[in-house]
Amino acid sequence: MCWGVDVLVLLQNNADNSLRLYEMKPQNYDWVDRKLYPFELRSINIGGYNLHYVDEGAGDTVVFVHGTPEWSFAYRDIIKALRSTYRCVAIDLLGFGLSDKPAVADYSCEAHATRLGTFIRQLQVKNITLVANDFGGGIGLGYAIANPTNVARVILINTWMRSLKDDPHYAVPARIINSWLGRFLYQQMNFPVNTIMPAAYGNKKHLTKQIHAHYKRPLSKGYRHATFAFAKQLMDASPWWESNWEKLDVLRDKPFSFFWGMKDKFVPPTEMTRWQKKLPEAFFKTFEDAGHFVHEEKASEISEAIGLFMSKTTNALSVQ
């Protein structure tokens, strides 16, 4: 079933770049379950905005970039599994999670990629392994293409990086999103969290009430500007994505790994086929019973696969 039809059915159913690091006060975020998310809360000031991030463990650095309507919470189980061996850094993009959510800001994918670059530079992390999903894939690759010498590996999860304007699978729902109805659904009804997210799981039992609450709470009414902006970027960011798609050869010598939930009807397996044609040397691992949020549904399997991929490619990279 195509995304356009799915969305129609769902609708029917329902300036300062200075570095400033400090520990955030946990009592301000007492709704965060510290057993699920047992990380030190950190923040960095980028462009006058406070961006929350996780920085756990030591060793080679893995940088995680989330999509919508997520935040670093989405990678919690993978971080817990990898932090004994690697340094795991996960940012909450502007407008998401525990980061600032200004009503007026540049929420374009290109602006997110620029802020990600500033974040990585200010943390002074080198030779990173990039892990990204959904909108985070284009954002993370935007950084990687601009800074190829600082990227050792790329790991992508159910994502795309091409112009979507001529693809009806994306263009049909985009027309709805860019209407008054789309604005109402996103800003008033929290549509991406309450409706799209449950529909995007391969097995809805994995999205427990407790986990779902951790996506609902950061995007309470009045703080949904970034999710609506991302929805509009489906079409609006197409020229930027296409430009980066054409520049992807600058990363051709990097090891790529893909994890794909085959039940994803929003970013379907046909998108994976495009990646396979573009990057024939990449490693692909599929999960037949997982959906778009495969990193939530298959965290232990992905964590193990990332560890194997990194250890294998470490030897290969040292020879180059």
Side-chain angles (χ1 to χ4, degrees), residues 132-197:
N133 73 294
D134 187 71
F135 276 90
I139 292 167
L141 284 171
Y143 168 80
I145 289 166
N147 302 273
T149 59
N150 198 38
V151 177
R153 308 169 193 81
V154 180
I155 299 170
L156 298 175
I157 303 169
N158 288 60
T159 189
W160 72 95
M161 194 182 66
R162 65 183 181 92
S163 173
L164 304 177
K165 283 194 171 183
D166 297 326
D167 190 329
H169 174 78
Y170 301 96
V172 171
R175 285 198 293 270
I176 300 169
I177 289 165
N178 280 285
S179 70
W180 68 267
L181 179 58
R183 180 179 292 275
F184 173 78
L185 289 168
Y186 271 74
Q187 295 191 343
Q188 301 299 319
M189 304 302 291
N190 208 7
F191 186 65
V193 177
N194 291 329
T195 305
I196 293 179
M197 179 171 262

Side-chain angles (χ1 to χ4, degrees), residues 126-294:
K126 304 293 183 183
N127 202 36
I128 69 170
T129 294
L130 176 71
V131 178
N133 73 294
D134 187 71
F135 276 90
I139 292 167
L141 284 171
Y143 168 80
I145 289 166
N147 302 273
T149 59
N150 198 38
V151 177
R153 308 169 193 81
V154 180
I155 299 170
L156 298 175
I157 303 169
N158 288 60
T159 189
W160 72 95
M161 194 182 66
R162 65 183 181 92
S163 173
L164 304 177
K165 283 194 171 183
D166 297 326
D167 190 329
H169 174 78
Y170 301 96
V172 171
R175 285 198 293 270
I176 300 169
I177 289 165
N178 280 285
S179 70
W180 68 267
L181 179 58
R183 180 179 292 275
F184 173 78
L185 289 168
Y186 271 74
Q187 295 191 343
Q188 301 299 319
M189 304 302 291
N190 208 7
F191 186 65
V193 177
N194 291 329
T195 305
I196 293 179
M197 179 171 262
Y201 269 68
N203 183 346
K204 292 180 177 62
K205 291 182 180 179
H206 292 145
L207 183 62
T208 66
K209 184 176 180 181
Q210 184 184 29
I211 290 172
H212 204 183
H214 281 75
Y215 291 112
K216 291 179 179 180
R217 183 64 182 264
L219 298 172
S220 57
K221 193 171 181 179
Y223 296 98
R224 299 166 184 166
H225 316 290
T227 54
F228 184 56
F230 261 164
K232 294 176 69 176
Q233 284 283 289
L234 277 173
M235 296 294 106
D236 293 351
S238 286
W240 182 73
W241 279 326
E242 192 67 21
S243 173
N244 281 332
W245 182 255
E246 293 171 358
K247 298 173 186 174
L248 197 60
D249 278 351
V250 303
L251 301 175
R252 191 166 287 279
D253 64 330
K254 311 294 182 183
F256 272 78
S257 183
F258 288 79
F259 301 109
W260 210 277
M262 300 300 282
K263 282 191 172 182
D264 188 353
K265 48 187 176 283
F266 294 93
V267 184
T270 52
E271 209 65 53
M272 181 182 69
T273 303
R274 289 186 172 88
W275 285 111
Q276 289 172 322
K277 290 178 180 178
K278 187 75 168 179
L279 299 166
E281 302 300 319
F283 169 78
F284 287 82
K285 182 176 178 62
T286 61
F287 299 88
E288 297 298 327
D289 57 343
H292 184 68
F293 300 101
V294 62

